[in-house]
Amino acid sequence: KLDTVPAIVISIGATGAAMNTKTFAETLANEYGGPVLIYDRFNMGLSDNTTTSTGTKNGMDLWLSQLDQMFDSDIVGLKGKKFHMMSFSMSTVTQFQ
């Protein structure tokens, strides 16, 4: 369905946010008529911590790398396609601006 209706990608943050967002995403997909994907970066539950400092494993390079991997993944299905991005994650809102 990604070929006819652009996906909506919801970037979330905070512990347990995926569980709370699942019902919203399902309702949105039914109303929108297209796929809705929930995304949260992986790194020990620190999705809103994008502070880069020397020696940290959880910085902007990792955050952007994870987004690039998702957008370029053949498995996810967004590669080369238009999609809408919305966010409940402060780090996503900040970094996309």
Side-chain angles (χ1 to χ4, degrees):
K1 206 164 193 183
L2 280 171
D3 292 329
T4 57
V5 179
I8 296 173
V9 177
I10 303 173
S11 177
I12 58 172
T15 304
M19 293 181 289
N20 295 329
T21 308
K22 185 174 185 249
T23 302
F24 171 71
E26 291 169 346
T27 303
L28 181 59
N30 288 332
E31 292 292 321
Y32 174 64
V36 177
L37 309 173
I38 301 171
Y39 165 75
D40 190 14
R41 64 184 292 249
F42 53 91
N43 189 26
M44 302 170 288
L46 302 173
S47 62
D48 286 331
N49 179 3
T50 58
T51 304
T52 302
S53 61
T54 305
T56 184
K57 295 179 181 178
N58 187 36
M60 282 306 302
D61 289 342
L62 176 61
W63 191 86
L64 292 171
S65 172
Q66 291 170 2
L67 277 178
D68 285 342
Q69 289 173 45
M70 179 183 73
F71 296 150
D72 289 338
S73 169
D74 290 325
I75 296 169
V76 176
L78 296 176
K79 188 174 185 175
K81 296 188 170 59
K82 292 183 179 183
F83 58 91
H84 304 287
M85 188 88 184
M86 65 184 293
S87 180
F88 298 111
S89 168
M90 184 55 78
S91 62
T92 305
V93 171
T94 303
Q95 300 312 319
F96 275 141
Q97 290 180 8

